[in-house]
Amino acid sequence: EMSDGRREQVGVAPQSPEAATISFGGGATSCTVGSLSDGGASLAVGSPIGILDPIVLELKAFAAHAE
């Protein structure tokens, strides 16, 4: 844990940011994944306003390989 009470996120950073979609409560928005770990993901979104818990994170790179 960091000195200010936040947990330090130790994960795997993609070679470059990965495009993804966050789905939640009937809505969806695009985002960029900065890193992934067993405990979560670092996501960048245009605005977090209106994003509800729980979310489903769909990585476009994995979706393309699944088809």
Side-chain angles (χ1 to χ4, degrees), residues 1 7 13 16 21 27 32-33 36-37 41 51 53 56 60 63 67:
E1 213 167 279
R7 286 186 173 174
S16 61
T21 300
T32 303
V33 178
L36 295 170
S37 73
I51 298 176
D53 284 336
V56 174
K60 294 189 186 294
E67 294 178 1

Side-chain angles (χ1 to χ4, degrees), residues 7-66:
R7 286 186 173 174
E8 184 175 359
Q9 189 84 351
V10 178
V12 178
Q15 292 179 359
S16 61
E18 296 289 332
T21 300
I22 300 172
S23 300
F24 51 91
T29 189
S30 59
C31 69
T32 303
V33 178
S35 66
L36 295 170
S37 73
D38 289 340
S42 170
L43 306 175
V45 295
S47 172
I49 296 173
I51 298 176
L52 307 171
D53 284 336
I55 66 166
V56 174
L57 178 63
E58 179 184 325
L59 300 171
K60 294 189 186 294
F62 290 113
H65 292 295

